[in-house]
Amino acid sequence: MNPDAVLAAAAAAWARVGGTLTPADRTALGEELARRRGAPGPAEHRAATERAAALLATGLPGEFGAGGRSVALPVADSGTVAGFTADDLAVLLLDGSPMAGPVLTAVRERLLAAPSVPQSELASGSGGLILLSAEGGARVPRFQLAPDGTVRPVVHTVNHLLDADLDPWGAADWWLSPHAWLGAPPADLLGTPAEVQLPDLARLLTEEF
Protein backbone atom coordinates (compact mmCIF):
# COMPACT_ATOMS: atom_id res chain seq x y z
CA MET A 1 0.00 0.00 0.00
CA ASN A 2 1.39 3.42 -0.93
CA PRO A 3 1.95 5.98 1.86
CA ASP A 4 -1.11 8.07 1.01
CA ALA A 5 -3.29 4.97 1.16
CA VAL A 6 -1.76 4.04 4.54
CA LEU A 7 -2.86 7.42 5.90
CA ALA A 8 -6.30 6.95 4.37
CA ALA A 9 -6.53 3.49 5.96
CA ALA A 10 -5.54 5.01 9.30
CA ALA A 11 -8.31 7.59 8.95
CA ALA A 12 -10.81 4.85 8.16
CA ALA A 13 -9.76 2.91 11.26
CA TRP A 14 -9.09 5.91 13.50
CA ALA A 15 -12.06 5.42 15.81
CA ARG A 16 -10.77 1.94 16.56
CA VAL A 17 -6.98 2.39 16.54
CA GLY A 18 -6.31 6.05 17.31
CA GLY A 19 -6.42 5.51 21.04
CA THR A 20 -3.93 2.64 20.89
CA LEU A 21 -1.04 4.81 19.73
CA THR A 22 1.33 5.89 22.50
CA PRO A 23 1.25 9.59 23.37
CA ALA A 24 4.72 9.96 21.86
CA ASP A 25 3.63 8.32 18.61
CA ARG A 26 0.50 10.47 18.42
CA THR A 27 2.61 13.58 18.89
CA ALA A 28 5.12 12.50 16.25
CA LEU A 29 2.35 11.58 13.83
CA GLY A 30 0.67 14.92 14.39
CA GLU A 31 3.92 16.74 13.65
CA GLU A 32 4.35 14.89 10.36
CA LEU A 33 0.73 15.52 9.37
CA ALA A 34 1.21 19.22 10.13
CA ARG A 35 4.33 19.27 7.95
CA ARG A 36 2.41 17.46 5.22
CA ARG A 37 -0.44 19.96 5.41
CA GLY A 38 1.90 22.93 5.29
CA ALA A 39 4.46 21.51 2.85
CA PRO A 40 5.79 24.18 0.44
CA GLY A 41 6.11 21.75 -2.45
CA PRO A 42 5.47 18.21 -3.73
CA ALA A 43 8.79 16.82 -2.50
CA GLU A 44 8.24 18.00 1.06
CA HIS A 45 4.63 16.81 0.95
CA ARG A 46 5.71 13.33 -0.19
CA ALA A 47 8.49 13.12 2.40
CA ALA A 48 6.12 14.01 5.26
CA THR A 49 3.58 11.49 3.94
CA GLU A 50 6.20 8.74 3.90
CA ARG A 51 7.39 9.57 7.41
CA ALA A 52 3.82 9.57 8.74
CA ALA A 53 3.14 6.19 7.13
CA ALA A 54 6.37 4.80 8.58
CA LEU A 55 5.38 6.01 12.05
CA LEU A 56 2.09 4.16 11.75
CA ALA A 57 3.83 0.99 10.57
CA THR A 58 6.24 1.14 13.51
CA GLY A 59 3.73 2.17 16.16
CA LEU A 60 0.98 -0.24 15.12
CA PRO A 61 2.62 -3.00 13.08
CA GLY A 62 -0.41 -5.29 13.36
CA GLU A 63 -2.48 -2.64 11.58
CA PHE A 64 -0.07 -0.80 9.30
CA GLY A 65 3.01 -2.98 9.03
CA ALA A 66 3.51 -5.52 6.25
CA GLY A 67 0.44 -7.74 6.16
CA GLY A 68 -1.34 -5.63 8.76
CA ARG A 69 -5.11 -5.59 9.12
CA SER A 70 -5.67 -2.05 7.87
CA VAL A 71 -3.20 -2.10 4.99
CA ALA A 72 -5.00 -5.15 3.65
CA LEU A 73 -8.11 -3.04 2.96
CA PRO A 74 -8.87 -2.35 -0.72
CA VAL A 75 -7.75 0.99 -2.14
CA ALA A 76 -10.09 2.70 -4.62
CA ASP A 77 -8.82 4.21 -7.86
CA SER A 78 -9.23 7.62 -6.23
CA GLY A 79 -6.77 6.59 -3.50
CA THR A 80 -9.45 6.40 -0.85
CA VAL A 81 -9.87 3.59 1.66
CA ALA A 82 -13.47 2.95 2.75
CA GLY A 83 -14.20 6.46 1.49
CA PHE A 84 -11.50 8.14 3.60
CA THR A 85 -8.58 10.12 2.19
CA ALA A 86 -5.11 10.76 3.54
CA ASP A 87 -6.14 14.35 4.31
CA ASP A 88 -8.92 13.04 6.55
CA LEU A 89 -6.34 11.77 9.03
CA ALA A 90 -5.17 15.34 9.65
CA VAL A 91 -8.77 16.43 10.17
CA LEU A 92 -9.25 13.70 12.77
CA LEU A 93 -5.95 14.12 14.60
CA LEU A 94 -4.89 17.74 14.15
CA ASP A 95 -8.30 19.39 14.07
CA GLY A 96 -9.93 16.98 16.49
CA SER A 97 -12.93 16.97 14.18
CA PRO A 98 -15.07 13.92 13.46
CA MET A 99 -16.17 15.43 10.15
CA ALA A 100 -14.24 13.13 7.84
CA GLY A 101 -14.95 10.26 5.53
CA PRO A 102 -17.42 9.55 2.74
CA VAL A 103 -20.43 11.15 4.44
CA LEU A 104 -19.19 13.76 6.88
CA THR A 105 -16.53 15.39 4.67
CA ALA A 106 -19.29 16.92 2.53
CA VAL A 107 -21.03 18.20 5.67
CA ARG A 108 -17.78 19.70 6.98
CA GLU A 109 -17.09 21.45 3.68
CA ARG A 110 -20.63 22.84 3.56
CA LEU A 111 -20.41 24.23 7.10
CA LEU A 112 -16.95 25.71 6.56
CA ALA A 113 -18.20 27.36 3.35
CA ALA A 114 -20.64 29.49 5.35
CA PRO A 115 -19.43 33.06 6.00
CA SER A 116 -17.12 33.08 8.99
CA VAL A 117 -14.41 35.02 10.78
CA PRO A 118 -11.19 33.80 12.40
CA GLN A 119 -11.40 33.16 16.13
CA SER A 120 -8.47 35.56 16.55
CA GLU A 121 -10.70 38.47 15.46
CA LEU A 122 -13.22 37.95 18.26
CA ALA A 123 -13.23 40.23 21.26
CA SER A 124 -12.40 38.67 24.60
CA GLY A 125 -15.33 37.40 26.59
CA SER A 126 -17.14 36.02 23.57
CA GLY A 127 -17.30 32.46 24.84
CA GLY A 128 -20.19 30.19 24.06
CA LEU A 129 -19.83 30.55 20.31
CA ILE A 130 -19.51 27.68 17.86
CA LEU A 131 -15.89 27.28 16.76
CA LEU A 132 -15.18 25.03 13.78
CA SER A 133 -11.73 23.54 13.27
CA ALA A 134 -10.20 24.47 9.93
CA GLU A 135 -6.84 24.87 8.28
CA GLY A 136 -5.33 28.11 9.50
CA GLY A 137 -7.15 28.03 12.84
CA ALA A 138 -10.67 27.87 14.24
CA ARG A 139 -13.42 29.68 12.36
CA VAL A 140 -16.49 31.33 13.87
CA PRO A 141 -19.62 31.07 11.69
CA ARG A 142 -20.63 34.69 11.06
CA PHE A 143 -24.36 34.20 11.69
CA GLN A 144 -23.65 34.21 15.43
CA LEU A 145 -22.61 37.87 15.33
CA ALA A 146 -24.81 40.93 14.88
CA PRO A 147 -23.86 43.46 12.18
CA ASP A 148 -21.89 45.47 14.75
CA GLY A 149 -19.79 42.41 15.61
CA THR A 150 -21.36 41.70 18.98
CA VAL A 151 -22.69 38.26 19.85
CA ARG A 152 -26.43 37.85 19.40
CA PRO A 153 -27.93 37.03 22.86
CA VAL A 154 -30.24 34.34 21.44
CA VAL A 155 -27.18 32.58 20.02
CA HIS A 156 -25.73 32.09 23.50
CA THR A 157 -29.03 30.64 24.70
CA VAL A 158 -29.45 28.23 21.79
CA ASN A 159 -25.80 27.16 21.72
CA HIS A 160 -26.04 26.25 25.40
CA LEU A 161 -29.16 24.18 24.73
CA LEU A 162 -27.42 22.42 21.83
CA ASP A 163 -24.25 21.71 23.88
CA ALA A 164 -22.30 23.51 21.18
CA ASP A 165 -19.11 23.39 23.22
CA LEU A 166 -19.21 19.57 23.12
CA ASP A 167 -20.59 19.17 19.60
CA PRO A 168 -19.83 22.33 17.60
CA TRP A 169 -20.33 20.62 14.24
CA GLY A 170 -23.73 19.27 15.20
CA ALA A 171 -24.79 22.67 16.51
CA ALA A 172 -23.56 24.42 13.37
CA ASP A 173 -25.46 21.92 11.24
CA TRP A 174 -28.66 22.67 13.19
CA TRP A 175 -28.27 26.40 12.62
CA LEU A 176 -27.32 26.21 8.95
CA SER A 177 -29.55 23.40 7.63
CA PRO A 178 -33.14 23.91 6.47
CA HIS A 179 -35.61 23.27 9.28
CA ALA A 180 -38.81 21.42 8.41
CA TRP A 181 -41.02 23.63 10.61
CA LEU A 182 -39.39 26.90 9.62
CA GLY A 183 -38.91 26.22 5.94
CA ALA A 184 -35.45 27.79 6.26
CA PRO A 185 -32.25 27.38 8.28
CA PRO A 186 -32.66 28.69 11.86
CA ALA A 187 -29.77 31.10 11.24
CA ASP A 188 -31.95 32.90 8.69
CA LEU A 189 -34.33 33.95 11.47
CA LEU A 190 -31.67 35.79 13.43
CA GLY A 191 -32.30 39.51 13.50
CA THR A 192 -35.99 39.02 12.74
CA PRO A 193 -38.97 38.96 15.13
CA ALA A 194 -39.19 35.19 14.59
CA GLU A 195 -35.86 34.57 16.34
CA VAL A 196 -37.74 34.30 19.64
CA GLN A 197 -38.89 30.84 18.46
CA LEU A 198 -35.37 29.45 18.29
CA PRO A 199 -34.78 28.53 21.96
CA ASP A 200 -38.04 26.57 22.04
CA LEU A 201 -37.11 24.72 18.84
CA ALA A 202 -33.72 23.87 20.32
CA ARG A 203 -35.40 22.59 23.50
CA LEU A 204 -37.66 20.32 21.45
CA LEU A 205 -34.54 18.80 19.92
CA THR A 206 -32.70 18.24 23.17
CA GLU A 207 -35.33 17.51 25.81
CA GLU A 208 -35.69 13.93 26.97
CA PHE A 209 -38.99 12.15 26.58
Side-chain angles (χ1 to χ4, degrees), residues 14-103:
W14 194 247
R16 177 171 56 81
V17 306
T20 64
L21 280 170
T22 67
D25 283 343
R26 283 178 67 97
T27 298
L29 179 60
E31 290 172 350
E32 294 302 341
L33 293 175
R35 292 188 185 101
R36 181 180 186 274
R37 175 180 275 182
E44 294 85 355
H45 186 276
R46 172 53 51 182
T49 301
E50 291 175 349
R51 289 193 298 267
L55 280 167
L56 286 166
T58 301
L60 296 174
E63 291 285 343
F64 304 106
R69 173 180 175 180
S70 289
V71 295
L73 295 173
V75 181
D77 292 341
S78 60
T80 63
V81 175
F84 287 79
T85 70
D87 291 340
D88 283 334
L89 186 58
V91 172
L92 293 166
L93 179 55
L94 296 182
D95 301 336
S97 167
M99 307 298 278
V103 175

Side-chain angles (χ1 to χ4, degrees), residues 126-154:
S126 55
L129 296 184
I130 295 168
L131 304 177
L132 301 182
S133 301
E135 291 190 35
R139 306 291 303 181
V140 181
R142 185 69 178 77
F143 71 81
Q144 301 173 103
L145 308 176
D148 63 0
T150 60
V151 180
R152 299 178 187 273
V154 70

